[in-house]
Amino acid sequence: LGLKVGGEDSPIIAIYASGVNEVTTWSQRLREHGLLVPAIRPPTVPADGCLLRVSLNTSHTAADFAALVDALR
């Protein structure tokens, strides 16, 4: 999808946004798709470090991950 991500070796994946407006829009859109993916924004992170915090666990299925990717398109 061309998104900047981090934490590939962790159950917590960061998907970086360009700013507060973008990350909050993404988080709301994901919630509308039934996915709880919090927007992390200042002051928790620097102004240029806004991100979605995707927390994966063993109860997530391949279909759950596909739904996330589809909702991010």
Side-chain angles (χ1 to χ4, degrees):
L1 299 176
L3 301 172
K4 180 181 172 190
V5 299
E8 294 88 353
D9 295 331
S10 168
I12 299 173
I13 307 295
I15 302 175
Y16 294 94
S18 63
V20 173
N21 290 337
E22 183 174 51
V23 79
T24 54
T25 297
W26 286 353
S27 182
Q28 180 60 36
R29 184 175 31 169
L30 292 170
R31 183 178 294 271
E32 291 166 2
H33 283 88
L35 303 166
L36 179 58
V37 181
I40 310 301
R41 53 196 183 275
T44 306
V45 294
D48 63 350
C50 294
L51 59 96
L52 291 175
R53 182 180 178 166
V54 179
S55 298
L56 303 174
N57 64 58
T58 58
S59 68
H60 289 115
T61 65
D64 293 330
F65 191 76
L68 172 66
V69 172
D70 287 343
L72 286 169
R73 290 186 194 276

